[in-house]
Amino acid sequence: MSQKRLEILGELIPKGSRVLDLGCGDGSFLKYLQTSRQCFGYGIELDDANVASCIERGVNVLQLNLEEGLKLFENQSFDVVLQMDTLQHLRNAETMLKETARVGKMGLVTFPNFAHWPNRLSVLKGRMPVTKHLPYEWYDTPNIRVATFNDFQELAQKNNLRVSKAFGLVGERPISIFANLLASTAVFTLTSTLSTGEN
Amino acid sequence: MQFKEVLPLESGASLGSYELAYETYGQLNESRSNAILICHALNASHHVAGEYLGQSNSKGWWDNMIGPGKPVDTNRFFVIGVNNLGSCFGSTGPMQINPATQKPYGADFPVVTVQDWVDAQEKLVTRLGIENLLAVMGGSLGGMQVLAWSMRYPKRLKHAIVIASAPNLTAENIAFNEVARRAIVTDPDFHGGHFYEHGVIPKRGLRIARMIGHITYLSDDVMNTRFGRQLRRASDLSDPDATQAQNYLYSTLDVEFQIESYLRYQGDKFAEYFDANTYLLITRALDYFDPAKNFGGNLSEAMRCIEAKFLVISFTTDWRFSPQRSQELVKALLDNHCQVSYVNIDAPHGHDAFLLEDPQYMSVVKSYFKHL
């Protein structure tokens, strides 16, 4: 993740939060949150190389399979649960949103926006998109859940998550107007309605 | 090192005076802040790394992990290996003379627990002039000692490295231990644990104990890869009947399969150097370990006092101390907001993997120790 993106997304996390990062990759965002936002947290990651990178960085990492849920974590035990470019890899994407709402008071979710205009163009031409942000062919992509900016808003509400902020990223530039068309990455901050007592 | 003071034991008994065998590697720094204690498992000792001068085949049991430039780098750290009470490698144990009777302790050696071992280790560490350990590290039963350290002396260690371990033994695990113990105790040479004075050793029992233990340390896959259904004679090139070697002997008593030959070899080797009473004591210590017991079975409550930062490692094919058991530990640490990393190493070797060289395993430990 670029420094600029670390800063834009880091801004969304209240300082000193207890953070759980689902699919934390090499741990760079968690490291950034620890050093620049005084956060305390754990990452969950399955990939061996990424787990080793986290340990190398001095980030707490737990090698667990997200497809098995978050059974090690108690209700509302984290201030923030992160899913940065994780959702699209999960078979149980919806369950994981429910789990996010159960375990965290707040959620931060990012994913590649399938309705980004180059993707639309490609589909119009009759081909699945292969772009900078979705660089895989349809048959070998790890992105098994492709969603659009608008799709996600709907699903979040269904799973005890109220959207508090929604915007898109065009490269490193945040945009909030026509995000569904213009943004390559969708960014959502969510409040767990289980923490606020809403239904 | 000799200790004259009485060591009260968990059972209520006590040891009047005792000796602890230990080895150290590397240099203790001026601030005495680079000490790492290594806890051994069932059949190991204080000799964790290096070779004794002029003795080939004397490599320490964790030599691939500990030494100059290795994951636990003795160029940076002062590493202490200690032999536990009741063992048969130099520390006070059943083979030693009981001052009360002037005869070997034998079966009269008091039952010692993981907690007792840790208490004795603490005395040793203190005597070495070390107030705070940088880390305590161990695998299997050694990992249980690390846990006990972190609960009993929470302020005395900064890091706890628990490998292929569990917060207690399952019924199946206790069952394996019991089969091993029955093999020893029912050996006619056991003499109620006082076999030393009869000049015999219950080797048959020890062999069988080791054979069953060994099966549980391996995985089905690794056993099949290594031995499969291979016949022993087929692999014996000196056999003049090599052409006949693929035929069964149709014997119930001969060694037929390669795996039988391997297990017998392991059993024989073990019976040569290991003490039967020690085997009973150490497997019992494993059975008894259960820090949650005094907290109504609630491990999170039991671990509330923990201050150390944890690295927990399990191995995917380890069925004796399965990854799920390590995850119970992780859960209790998470409940207490402790710092913890957990790595589940994808290795084929079963429980034994914690003693073997695996690139991911070694690199994770190395990276972790870099930050200490």
Side-chain angles (χ1 to χ4, degrees):
Chain A
M1 214 184 291
S2 71
Q3 184 63 27
K4 183 74 191 152
R5 196 171 267 221
L6 287 174
E7 285 166 17
I8 293 170
L9 298 173
E11 279 285 304
L12 302 168
I13 311 297
K15 282 193 174 174
S17 297
R18 260 176 67 76
V19 178
L20 181 63
D21 188 351
L22 310 183
C24 66
D26 64 8
S28 48
F29 190 56
L30 210 43
K31 181 79 188 177
Y32 175 81
L33 292 179
Q34 279 175 19
T35 47
S36 303
R37 313 274 310 164
Q38 297 79 47
C39 292
F40 173 88
Y42 311 90
I44 298 184
E45 180 56 51
L46 189 59
D47 178 74
D48 279 349
N50 278 336
V51 167
S53 300
C54 290
I55 303 258
E56 183 86 42
R57 277 199 163 79
V59 166
N60 292 326
V61 64
L62 308 171
Q63 191 166 27
L64 298 168
N65 188 348
L66 289 174
E67 300 288 4
E68 289 163 17
L70 297 177
K71 55 182 189 289
L72 296 189
F73 302 91
E74 295 293 327
N75 294 347
Q76 299 295 300
S77 53
F78 286 86
D79 297 316
V80 187
V81 175
L82 308 171
Q83 290 194 46
M84 319 281 284
D85 282 331
T86 301
L87 192 75
Q88 71 266 26
H89 303 304
L90 295 175
R91 207 175 260 281
N92 63 352
E94 187 177 2
T95 311
M96 202 41 69
L97 281 180
K98 265 196 196 99
E99 284 285 82
T100 296
R102 179 182 68 80
V103 169
K105 299 181 179 83
M106 176 191 150
L108 171 63
V109 176
T110 72
F111 59 89
N113 175 27
F114 198 72
H116 187 206
W117 64 268
N119 302 339
R120 296 187 189 202
L121 210 59
S122 185
V123 173
L124 266 181
K125 286 191 214 150
R127 300 300 298 263
M128 283 297 278
V130 178
T131 65
K132 198 171 113 202
H133 304 285
L134 291 168
Y136 302 93
E137 294 287 353
W138 65 274
Y139 49 83
D140 67 1
T141 180
N143 302 315
I144 57 169
R145 301 274 182 235
V146 285
T148 71
F149 198 90
N150 291 353
D151 288 334
F152 182 78
Q153 309 225 31
E154 220 181 285
L155 183 68
Q157 274 157 18
K158 198 182 138 199
N159 288 292
N160 308 318
L161 291 163
R162 185 163 46 74
V163 174
S164 24
K165 273 187 206 143
F167 61 91
L169 287 173
V170 183
E172 310 300 356
R173 193 163 50 84
I175 55 159
S176 41
I177 303 168
F178 300 124
N180 198 38
L181 179 66
L182 299 176
S184 54
T185 301
V187 181
F188 289 87
T189 66
L190 309 148
T191 309
S192 167
T193 54
L194 302 175
S195 75
T196 56
E198 302 166 43
N199 272 310
Chain B
M1 190 181 282
Q2 189 69 42
F3 294 82
K4 294 282 181 215
E5 66 266 31
V6 171
L7 183 75
L9 303 173
E10 195 180 343
S11 64
S14 60
L15 267 176
S17 70
Y18 56 97
E19 170 119 17
L20 289 177
Y22 74 101
E23 287 182 9
T24 68
Y25 316 84
Q27 293 290 324
L28 185 61
N29 63 15
E30 222 157 276
S31 54
R32 297 168 181 268
S33 60
N34 68 335
I36 292 169
L37 178 71
I38 306 291
C39 303
H40 70 74
L42 208 162
N43 63 329
S45 71
H46 50 293
H47 181 46
V48 300
E51 265 183 26
Y52 296 127
L53 211 59
Q55 290 180 46
S56 57
N57 240 338
S58 65
K59 217 173 235 174
W61 58 272
W62 223 351
D63 190 71
N64 56 7
M65 183 66 85
I66 298 157
K70 296 190 180 163
V72 182
D73 189 351
T74 50
N75 290 328
R76 284 183 60 210
F77 304 116
F78 178 67
V79 174
I80 307 162
V82 56
N83 188 215
N84 285 325
L85 289 172
S87 182
C88 51
F89 299 110
S91 291
T92 301
M95 292 167 87
Q96 254 106 44
I97 300 295
N98 179 353
T101 62
Q102 290 307 309
K103 283 200 232 163
Y105 276 103
D108 298 334
F109 195 84
V111 167
V112 280
T113 63
V114 169
Q115 181 182 307
D116 298 332
W117 287 337
V118 166
D119 286 351
Q121 290 165 9
E122 187 273 333
K123 303 262 185 286
L124 174 79
V125 167
T126 304
R127 186 82 74 81
L128 291 173
I130 296 158
E131 176 59 30
N132 293 309
L133 288 160
L134 182 57
V136 184
M137 174 176 182
S140 191
L141 175 58
M144 291 175 166
Q145 292 160 57
V146 178
L147 260 186
W149 259 98
S150 68
M151 286 184 261
R152 225 162 146 69
Y153 303 100
K155 295 195 182 305
R156 305 276 307 266
L157 69 162
K158 279 212 174 85
H159 295 267
I161 294 98
V162 178
I163 303 171
S165 196
N168 61 20
L169 290 194
T170 58
E172 182 188 56
N173 235 322
I174 295 171
F176 282 124
N177 284 344
E178 177 59 4
V179 174
R181 280 191 297 265
R182 291 310 293 166
I184 291 169
V185 169
T186 56
D187 185 324
D189 285 338
F190 183 64
H191 295 286
H194 295 287
F195 50 88
Y196 315 103
E197 45 205 270
H198 293 82
V200 291
I201 293 171
K203 284 194 179 177
R204 281 161 290 187
L206 272 168
R207 283 189 197 112
I208 294 168
R210 182 58 172 171
M211 284 166 85
I212 183 132
H214 212 87
I215 296 168
T216 69
Y217 305 148
L218 300 177
S219 69
D220 193 19
D221 275 355
V222 91
M223 248 198 227
N224 268 324
T225 312
R226 239 173 116 181
F227 307 106
R229 296 187 49 82
Q230 229 179 90
L231 299 179
R232 185 185 61 90
R233 285 184 311 145
S235 62
D236 184 0
L237 298 173
S238 64
D239 192 331
D241 295 332
T243 50
Q244 298 290 309
Q246 291 301 333
N247 298 334
Y248 290 158
L249 294 169
Y250 294 104
S251 157
T252 54
L253 301 178
D254 289 304
V255 172
E256 181 75 281
F257 293 94
Q258 195 57 28
I259 181 66
E260 298 170 30
S261 162
Y262 173 76
L263 284 177
R264 287 196 192 192
Y265 169 74
Q266 292 294 337
D268 290 346
K269 204 170 70 171
F270 189 68
E272 287 304 318
Y273 74 85
F274 210 79
D275 176 59
N277 284 310
T278 292
Y279 201 91
L280 302 181
L281 281 168
I282 296 192
T283 53
R284 246 322 177 221
L286 267 161
D287 295 354
Y288 280 139
F289 182 71
D290 187 10
K293 184 170 180 279
N294 290 335
F295 295 85
N298 186 333
L299 188 63
S300 300
E301 281 294 317
M303 290 170 75
R304 191 164 265 188
C305 59
I306 283 178
E307 296 185 18
K309 190 174 170 181
F310 270 71
L311 174 63
V312 179
I313 298 177
S314 63
F315 298 89
T316 51
T317 54
D318 184 351
W319 55 280
R320 186 102 200 234
F321 290 81
S322 72
Q324 285 67 31
R325 304 307 322 274
S326 285
Q327 287 167 24
E328 286 174 39
L329 275 180
V330 171
K331 161 112 182 64
L333 290 163
L334 289 170
D335 286 346
N336 286 299
H337 298 191
C338 297
Q339 300 251 24
V340 52
S341 278
Y342 165 64
V343 183
N344 191 15
I345 305 282
D346 187 11
H349 308 98
H351 187 54
D352 252 1
F354 91 88
L355 294 168
L356 302 174
E357 197 131 353
D358 173 278
Q360 174 76 358
Y361 174 35
M362 294 288 146
S363 106
V364 160
V365 175
K366 194 174 191 130
S367 301
Y368 190 87
F369 272 85
K370 243 186 243 169
H371 284 282
L372 302 200

